[in-house]
Amino acid sequence: MLRAFTLLLICQLAGEVTAVLTGLPIPGPVVGLFYLLIGLMVYRTPTPWLETTSSGLLKHLSLLFVPASVGLIQHADRLQVEWLPLLAAVIISTVAAIAVGALTFVAVARLTGHPAQGEDHKP
């Protein structure tokens, strides 16, 4: 478990350093996850110790929403003023994410030769 957390923190640190040095408008932890993704793609399969720790983190993922909830409470006055643009952004981004996901699914299904649900499969 210690090795896995060390690896995750090293990836996050590398992402933070990259984001600061390059001035990217992307948060460092996101860049760090990209580095982790590249590492997993290079090695093809995660090690058992990384898989065990990742599964444990995913089981308790809901705890990561606590800081976001506290942030919402702290900025309640701002939310009262700017609720309409925030609501519009949430709705538009949700619809866009669903549309992109559906289009990606259909494109991958066609590329792999598997019919999407509702399409007739022609051998």
Side-chain angles (χ1 to χ4, degrees):
M1 182 181 282
L2 186 59
R3 285 191 294 181
F5 278 120
T6 303
L7 176 64
L8 293 172
L9 289 174
I10 287 172
C11 288
Q12 181 176 356
L13 176 63
E16 289 284 355
V17 169
T18 302
V20 168
L21 292 179
T22 61
L24 287 173
I26 302 171
V30 174
V31 177
L33 281 176
F34 181 70
Y35 289 153
L36 181 63
L37 174 66
I38 291 171
L40 290 172
M41 289 171 60
V42 167
Y43 289 105
R44 301 277 183 199
T45 57
T47 60
W49 50 267
L50 182 60
E51 198 167 351
T52 302
T53 303
S54 299
S55 296
L57 284 172
L58 288 174
K59 286 179 187 174
H60 303 291
L61 190 62
S62 61
L63 291 176
L64 298 177
F65 290 107
V66 172
S69 302
V70 170
L72 286 173
I73 302 279
Q74 285 182 334
H75 295 284
D77 55 337
R78 188 172 183 183
L79 289 173
Q80 287 177 344
V81 175
E82 300 176 12
W83 68 270
L84 186 60
L86 288 170
L87 181 64
V90 167
I91 291 171
I92 291 169
S93 64
T94 301
V95 170
I98 291 171
V100 168
L103 291 173
T104 303
F105 172 78
V106 170
V108 169
R110 287 184 180 157
L111 286 172
T112 59
H114 292 85
Q117 191 169 2
E119 291 183 8
D120 291 331
H121 181 63
K122 298 175 187 170

